[in-house]
Amino acid sequence: MPNYFALIPAAGYGARMGNQLPKQYLTLAGQPMIYHAIRTFCESSQIKRVFIVLSPQDPGWKKYDWRAFSGKLSMLYCGGETRAESVLNGLNAAAGRFAIESSDWILVHDAARPLLTQSQLGQLIDELADDAVGGLLAVPVADTLKRSGPDARVLQTEPRENLWQAQTPQMFRYAMLLEALNNVPELSITDDASAIEAMGYHPKLVHNTSDNFKITYPQDLALAERIMQQRNQS
Ligand code: CTP
Ligand code: MG
């Protein structure tokens, strides 16, 4: 049976958040944002180990006490210039630390998606466990889509049929993901599935809800805070 490993790229600076501190360390429900995703993976009995990809110049990780998760966590200080580079470096470094088989599953998850629930994680794993390619959580696009020119005036309306917003985790076999990321010419792709698609495969979209959104702008953090408060009350 293949093992399941989580890999959380957390080497970004959160430029769009406009804060000095990288967004993965901004406080959410009393903890650094990255804590919440780490907890979800560490508490899942299906996940064998959780790798965190940090920048070699990481300014935040050591300020917190991670001992509660120490049995499952490995920190890899090998983040790159882009998310894809961080994931690729992380895959290589993880294999140096831990015995990972080519057919083991890697679940790549943004540190900036703190609202992933245990049941969403379980559903992704269940739906993909027997899949030949793997896939990702995603949400069908709800809004009408406009394409503009550089002047923020509408050029045309794009049909939204069969369009999805990609989320994470994105789950692929170790060897396939490694090969895919090694093959993309520019590591500027913004998710892992793009690399798999470039090899001609068709990752499966696992229907999720929009609450697993990525914290990108300051208002996203405020909304996540409210959602967490609600979850803690119910
Ligand atoms: N990430 C990474 N290495 C990079 C860039 C991003 O590990 N060189 C990680 C981020 O830390 C985040 C995830 O990839 O957990 C998703 O990226 P994004 O939301 O774009 O985060 P940032 O790149 O930090 O934010 P921004 O694009 O606004 O600068
Ligand atoms: Mg980014």
Side-chain angles (χ1 to χ4, degrees):
M1 287 299 280
N3 291 308
Y4 294 85
F5 295 99
L7 188 142
I8 303 183
Y13 299 100
R16 287 169 289 179
M17 207 67 197
N19 200 293
Q20 271 296 96
L21 197 62
K23 60 184 175 181
Q24 54 270 27
Y25 297 120
L26 297 179
T27 303
L28 174 61
Q31 298 285 353
M33 188 195 299
I34 190 176
Y35 167 95
H36 301 284
I38 290 175
R39 178 175 166 189
T40 303
F41 283 103
C42 284
E43 287 182 351
S44 164
S45 58
Q46 290 165 293
I47 302 291
K48 183 156 189 183
R49 185 134 212 110
V50 180
F51 297 102
I52 314 294
V53 182
L54 298 165
S55 159
Q57 293 86 36
D58 176 85
W61 180 265
K62 294 197 170 95
K63 292 184 190 156
Y64 304 97
D65 182 358
W66 299 103
R67 277 175 297 181
F69 306 124
S70 57
K72 264 197 187 180
L73 268 188
S74 292
M75 283 70 74
L76 309 169
Y77 286 86
C78 60
E81 289 290 308
T82 62
R83 179 189 184 281
E85 199 181 328
S86 294
V87 173
L88 177 57
N89 292 351
L91 289 175
N92 284 315
R97 292 268 197 101
F98 220 80
I100 302 178
E101 301 284 331
S102 21
S103 60
D104 284 342
W105 289 105
I106 305 291
L107 287 87
V108 183
H109 183 66
D110 296 325
R113 290 186 194 270
L115 293 165
L116 175 73
T117 64
Q118 206 58 250
S119 84
Q120 291 168 353
L121 173 58
Q123 200 198 345
L124 180 75
I125 291 175
D126 286 353
E127 288 209 24
L128 297 178
D130 298 322
D131 200 89
V133 176
L136 58 144
L137 289 179
V139 189
V141 167
D143 293 324
T144 301
L145 293 174
K146 305 290 185 191
R147 183 179 298 280
S148 76
D151 56 353
R153 288 196 163 266
V154 175
L155 283 182
Q156 64 192 65
T157 300
E158 299 283 349
R160 66 166 179 243
E161 199 187 8
N162 297 333
L163 280 185
W164 300 67
Q165 284 181 278
Q167 299 181 338
T168 70
Q170 303 203 349
M171 174 171 150
F172 299 102
R173 308 264 183 189
Y174 181 81
M176 188 190 281
L177 183 56
L178 187 65
E179 186 188 350
L181 287 169
N182 270 318
N183 280 342
V184 283
E186 296 265 325
L187 285 169
S188 56
I189 47 168
T190 53
D191 75 346
D192 315 287
S194 307
I196 301 284
E197 293 153 32
M199 292 209 304
Y201 295 114
H202 299 285
K204 186 171 182 186
L205 295 157
V206 176
H207 196 307
N208 198 25
T209 47
S210 57
D211 58 350
N212 178 35
F213 60 86
K214 183 161 68 70
I215 312 278
T216 305
Y217 299 104
Q219 61 269 29
D220 302 331
L221 187 61
L223 177 59
E225 187 80 48
R226 289 199 293 279
I227 293 173
M228 286 228 160
Q229 265 170 22
Q230 269 170 9
R231 285 184 184 173
N232 289 339
Q233 279 158 14
S234 58

